[in-house]
Amino acid sequence: MAAILSVAQQCLGYIKTIQITDLIDIGILAYVIYHLLQLARNSNAGQVLRGIAFLFVLMWVSSLLNLHVVSYLLSNALELGFLALVVVFQPEIRHFLEQMGTRGLSTMFSRGDTRLDYADETEAAINELVDAYTTMSKNKVGALTVFERDSILDDCIKSGTALNAEVNSELLKNIFWPKAPLHDGAVIIRGGRIVGGGCVLPLSSNTSISRELGTRHRAGIGVTEHTDAVVAIVSEETGSISVAVGGSLKRHLAPETLRRLLRNELLPQALDEEEGSLNWKGLLHSLNSLRLTDLVRHRKEEDSDHAE
C-alpha cells in the first residue's frame, strides 16, 4: 500500500510540473502521428511502417537480452533504412510537399477531404467510363483503367505517356482503339482527370488466378495487390467487364453494376449522403401519406355525422 501511495505522489508531482505549452506540444505531436498513420493505413507505406516497428521491437528485445552483435547490426540497418525510405517514398514525399504548398497546413494531412473536393469530377468520370465500357464491351475492345486513391502511382504514370485531360467516353474509346498507340497500356485517373495513358502495371504473382485471365486482368489485379487503387477492365476476348479491388476480381458485371461498384468504392461518403437524403425523402413521403390518410378519414367521419 505504501508503494502505491509513493507512486501516486510521484505522479502528482509530475502532473504539477506540466505547463500549457507541454499540452500544446503533446497535442500537435499526437495530431501529426494520427494523420500520418491514417495516410499509411491502406498503402505500401503502412506495410513499411509495420516492418520498421517490428525492427524497433527486435532492437529492444536484443538490448534486453544483451545481444550486442544483433543490436549493432539492427541499429546500423535502421540508420541506412531511413535514407532508403526517402528514395523509396520519393513520390509520396513530393506529393505531400505539393499538398502542403498549395493547400496549406490545415489540409495537408487530410487526403479524405481532398477526395471530397474531387467528388463531382470523379462522379462525372465514372459516368463517362461506364458509357465507354458499355460500348467497348459490346464491340469486345480491351480496356484497362485505374482510379488512383491514397496510394500514389507516379511510377506507373512515368512508364506511359503523361496526360492531363477530362475523362470523356469518346476519348477513352479512342485511347483503347486496337490500332491506337496507347491501347495496350492502362489509363490512370487521378482526381477525376486522366493523368496517364499506355501505362505499365505490375503483374500479379498470385498463382491461384484462373488461367482464363490474360495479361490485362493480371496487371489490374497486380496493381491492387500493392496499392488501394480501383481498376476497371474490359476483356478483349469476351467483352466481359470486371473490377479489381484489394487483389480480388469481380467479373461479368453489367454496366449499372459497374457504376454502382465504382461509386461505392470511390464516393463512399457521397453515397451515404445520397442514401440519407433518400431516407429523409421516404420519411417525408410516409408522413405526407399519413396526413392524407388522416384527412380522408376525418372527412368521412364528418360526412357520417352530417348524415346522422
Side-chain angles (χ1 to χ4, degrees), residues 61-130:
V61 172
S62 62
S63 63
L64 286 178
L65 299 177
N66 294 322
L67 303 177
H68 302 293
V69 177
V70 176
S71 298
Y72 175 77
L73 292 176
L74 288 176
S75 61
N76 283 278
L78 283 175
E79 290 178 3
L80 295 175
F82 284 115
L83 295 176
L85 285 178
V86 176
V87 178
V88 172
F89 292 105
Q90 182 265 339
E92 283 79 4
I93 294 173
R94 185 182 64 189
H95 185 78
F96 175 81
L97 294 175
E98 288 175 354
Q99 290 282 2
M100 185 173 60
T102 57
R103 296 182 175 273
L105 294 174
S106 60
T107 57
M108 66 179 181
F109 292 109
S110 55
R111 282 193 61 88
D113 294 336
T114 58
R115 195 185 303 177
L116 285 178
D117 294 340
Y118 300 117
D120 294 337
E121 291 84 351
T122 301
E123 186 166 10
I126 291 171
N127 293 330
E128 293 291 334
L129 180 134
V130 171

Side-chain angles (χ1 to χ4, degrees), residues 182-240:
L182 303 180
H183 80 281
D184 276 334
V187 165
I188 297 179
I189 297 176
R190 171 188 294 168
R193 295 183 65 84
I194 297 176
V195 294
C199 301
V200 179
L201 305 180
L203 296 180
S204 173
S205 58
N206 188 354
T207 57
S208 62
I209 295 177
S210 174
R211 294 183 179 179
E212 298 177 358
L213 302 178
T215 305
R216 183 175 284 109
H217 289 81
R218 292 179 183 274
I221 297 172
V223 73
T224 62
E225 290 175 346
H226 304 286
T227 68
D228 63 345
V230 180
V231 182
I233 310 164
V234 177
S235 172
E236 188 174 359
E237 289 76 18
T238 63
S240 174

Side-chain angles (χ1 to χ4, degrees), residues 1-305:
M1 188 66 181
I4 296 175
L5 289 175
S6 64
V7 172
Q9 289 177 356
Q10 289 180 358
C11 292
L12 288 174
Y14 289 136
I15 292 173
K16 290 179 181 179
T17 60
I18 295 176
Q19 299 178 357
I20 187 65
T21 54
D22 298 325
L23 295 177
I24 295 173
D25 196 14
I26 294 172
I28 292 174
L29 185 61
Y31 178 83
V32 171
I33 292 175
Y34 172 76
H35 284 282
L36 286 176
L37 291 176
Q38 286 291 103
L39 287 175
R41 183 176 59 181
N42 295 322
S43 64
N44 290 337
Q47 300 173 5
V48 174
L49 289 178
R50 284 191 289 270
I52 293 174
F54 180 69
L55 288 178
F56 274 114
V57 172
L58 286 180
M59 285 183 61
W60 178 67
V61 172
S62 62
S63 63
L64 286 178
L65 299 177
N66 294 322
L67 303 177
H68 302 293
V69 177
V70 176
S71 298
Y72 175 77
L73 292 176
L74 288 176
S75 61
N76 283 278
L78 283 175
E79 290 178 3
L80 295 175
F82 284 115
L83 295 176
L85 285 178
V86 176
V87 178
V88 172
F89 292 105
Q90 182 265 339
E92 283 79 4
I93 294 173
R94 185 182 64 189
H95 185 78
F96 175 81
L97 294 175
E98 288 175 354
Q99 290 282 2
M100 185 173 60
T102 57
R103 296 182 175 273
L105 294 174
S106 60
T107 57
M108 66 179 181
F109 292 109
S110 55
R111 282 193 61 88
D113 294 336
T114 58
R115 195 185 303 177
L116 285 178
D117 294 340
Y118 300 117
D120 294 337
E121 291 84 351
T122 301
E123 186 166 10
I126 291 171
N127 293 330
E128 293 291 334
L129 180 134
V130 171
D131 292 342
Y133 271 38
T134 302
T135 302
M136 288 189 286
S137 175
K138 293 178 181 178
N139 298 330
K140 294 184 178 181
V141 175
L144 179 61
T145 304
V146 181
F147 285 90
E148 182 188 81
R149 291 199 282 188
D150 289 340
S151 300
I152 307 300
L153 301 176
D154 283 351
D155 290 338
C156 296
I157 295 172
K158 290 178 182 177
S159 67
T161 301
L163 302 172
N164 184 14
E166 293 183 359
V167 181
N168 183 278
S169 60
E170 296 299 325
L171 176 59
L172 289 174
K173 287 187 282 187
N174 277 283
I175 290 175
F176 291 117
W177 182 55
K179 294 184 179 180
L182 303 180
H183 80 281
D184 276 334
V187 165
I188 297 179
I189 297 176
R190 171 188 294 168
R193 295 183 65 84
I194 297 176
V195 294
C199 301
V200 179
L201 305 180
L203 296 180
S204 173
S205 58
N206 188 354
T207 57
S208 62
I209 295 177
S210 174
R211 294 183 179 179
E212 298 177 358
L213 302 178
T215 305
R216 183 175 284 109
H217 289 81
R218 292 179 183 274
I221 297 172
V223 73
T224 62
E225 290 175 346
H226 304 286
T227 68
D228 63 345
V230 180
V231 182
I233 310 164
V234 177
S235 172
E236 188 174 359
E237 289 76 18
T238 63
S240 174
I241 300 175
S242 306
V243 170
V245 181
S248 62
L249 187 69
K250 299 179 181 180
R251 305 175 62 189
H252 309 297
L253 302 177
E256 286 306 317
T257 306
L258 172 65
R259 189 193 313 274
R260 179 68 181 178
L261 198 154
L262 291 177
R263 294 188 76 236
N264 186 49
E265 291 291 337
L266 301 171
L267 301 169
Q269 297 185 12
L271 276 178
D272 291 341
E273 293 176 359
E274 179 182 336
E275 291 176 357
S277 63
L278 289 176
N279 290 335
W280 276 109
K281 290 179 181 178
L283 180 59
L284 291 174
H285 180 71
S286 300
L287 290 174
N288 291 331
S289 299
L290 288 174
R291 290 174 183 173
L292 182 60
T293 304
D294 293 338
L295 180 62
V296 172
R297 186 181 303 165
H298 181 67
R299 288 288 179 86
K300 287 183 178 179
E301 291 177 355
E302 288 182 350
D303 293 340
S304 61
D305 291 339

